[in-house]
């Protein structure tokens, strides 16, 4: 597969443990946030999103937490599985009329069997 | 991949040659985007389109042009390819007006020699 990011921070977790991936965003006017998962050789895949009027949102095995005070976003993955190994990155939408997103560079998650 | 296809999936070309990448969607979404992805960087927006013949520049548009003559197709052209344009290119679409989530195609890996 290709190298999505040669110098990405890496999180290594034991299979079955919970994973927490963090993201600091840049703009206090950002009103919408998305987490994506990218496996080697594939396009980014939507995982979960959250709007700025919320501080927590849960999906299947995933939870996103938003702390607007410190401009911090986290993705929690419960009972991490080998198939969760990928690069994860956040994206923010700044609250103007544009549909453009700003993407972080990502964190590589490695799941140890 | 949300009904998005990209062609070609892989291409090797020489410096100075023109290259056109195609993004095709099957669901008549209004917004389409071209990104490039490089090691150590998040996804960076090249150009985007908000309708047929309506396009605008992103943050890294120099050396690229786009066209959208039909809703379903968004073309990215490198007029004269350079080695710095070696990258993985992703097309994305926004699903609904006011819903900023973007869904990505599988990517095109371009190598400029």
């Amino acid at each position: 597969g290709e190298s999505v990011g040669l110098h990405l921070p890496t999180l290594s977790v034991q299979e079955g443990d919970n994973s927490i991936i963090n993201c600091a965003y840049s703009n206090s006017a950002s009103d919408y946030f998305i987490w994506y998962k990218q496996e080697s050789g594939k396009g980014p895949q939507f995982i979960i999103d959250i709007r700025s009027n919320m501080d927590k949102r849960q999906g299947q095995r995933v939870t996103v937490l938003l702390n607007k005070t410190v401009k911090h976003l986290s993705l929690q993955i419960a009972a991490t599985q080998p198939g969760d190994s990928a690069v994860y990155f956040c994206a923010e939408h700044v609250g103007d009329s544009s549909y453009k997103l700003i993407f972080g560079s990502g964190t590589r998650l490695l799941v140890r069997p | 991949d949300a009904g998005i296809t990209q062609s070609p999936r892989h291409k090797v070309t020489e410096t100075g040659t023109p290259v056109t990448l195609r993004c095709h969607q099957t669901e008549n979404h209004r917004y389409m985007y071209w990104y490039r992805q490089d090691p150590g960087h998040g996804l960076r927006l090249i150009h985007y389109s908000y309708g047929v013949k309506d396009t605008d520049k992103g943050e890294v548009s120099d050396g690229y042009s786009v066209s959208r003559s039909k809703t379903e197709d968004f073309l990215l052209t490198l007029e004269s390819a350079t080695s710095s344009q070696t990258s993985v290119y992703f097309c994305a679409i926004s699903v609904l007006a006011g819903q900023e989530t973007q869904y990505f195609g599988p990517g095109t890996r371009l190598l400029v020699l």
Side-chain angles (χ1 to χ4, degrees):
Chain A
E2 67 210 63
S3 296
V4 171
L6 291 176
H7 306 290
L8 290 176
T10 299
L11 174 66
S12 179
V13 300
Q14 190 72 38
E15 181 179 355
D17 287 351
N18 296 334
S19 302
I20 300 176
I21 300 170
N22 297 304
C23 177
Y25 64 92
S26 57
N27 196 318
S28 56
S30 294
D31 61 355
Y32 178 66
F33 305 87
I34 308 169
W35 278 101
Y36 287 93
K37 172 186 180 182
Q38 188 174 22
E39 297 175 277
S40 182
K42 297 185 178 180
Q45 176 187 358
F46 171 87
I47 302 174
I48 192 168
D49 58 2
I50 189 168
R51 295 206 173 268
S52 59
N53 60 355
M54 304 171 67
D55 53 20
K56 180 180 180 179
R57 190 168 187 213
Q58 289 183 292
Q60 187 175 13
R61 278 201 312 119
V62 295
T63 300
V64 55
L65 299 178
L66 176 62
N67 186 331
K68 295 182 287 294
T69 302
V70 295
K71 291 189 287 186
H72 183 267
L73 193 67
S74 68
L75 177 71
Q76 300 178 1
I77 304 174
T80 311
Q81 302 170 359
D84 295 327
S85 292
V87 174
Y88 292 81
F89 53 89
C90 62
E92 61 183 295
H93 173 263
V94 181
D96 58 12
S97 61
S98 166
Y99 284 80
K100 292 183 284 185
L101 297 175
I102 302 170
F103 292 86
S105 56
T107 297
R108 186 182 308 278
L109 176 66
L110 296 177
V111 182
R112 304 187 305 271
Chain B
D1 292 327
I4 305 169
T5 57
Q6 293 184 231
S7 58
R9 293 294 314 280
H10 302 271
K11 186 170 181 66
V12 180
T13 192
E14 294 186 348
T15 297
T17 60
V19 177
T20 295
L21 308 182
R22 179 181 182 239
C23 177
H24 178 80
Q25 56 142 330
T26 58
E27 299 180 15
N28 293 321
H29 298 300
R30 181 180 172 194
Y31 284 78
M32 299 183 74
Y33 308 79
W34 276 108
Y35 291 90
R36 59 179 290 172
Q37 186 176 48
D38 304 289
H41 293 275
L43 288 158
R44 292 182 291 173
L45 182 66
I46 305 172
H47 282 277
Y48 69 102
S49 170
Y50 46 96
V52 173
K53 298 185 179 178
D54 291 323
T55 65
D56 203 354
K57 296 179 179 180
E59 61 179 307
V60 291
S61 60
D62 287 349
Y64 301 95
S65 62
V66 289
S67 65
R68 191 162 179 207
S69 58
K70 299 185 291 184
T71 299
E72 59 266 35
D73 289 325
F74 192 30
L75 304 181
L76 177 70
T77 297
L78 291 64
E79 303 290 348
S80 178
T82 67
S83 59
S84 65
Q85 294 176 311
T86 292
S87 188
V88 182
Y89 292 87
F90 288 101
C91 176
I93 55 97
S94 291
V95 176
L96 296 172
Q99 184 82 9
E100 299 88 343
T101 307
Q102 293 182 17
Y103 295 88
F104 288 83
T108 295
R109 187 186 306 186
L110 176 66
L111 175 60
V112 183
L113 300 174

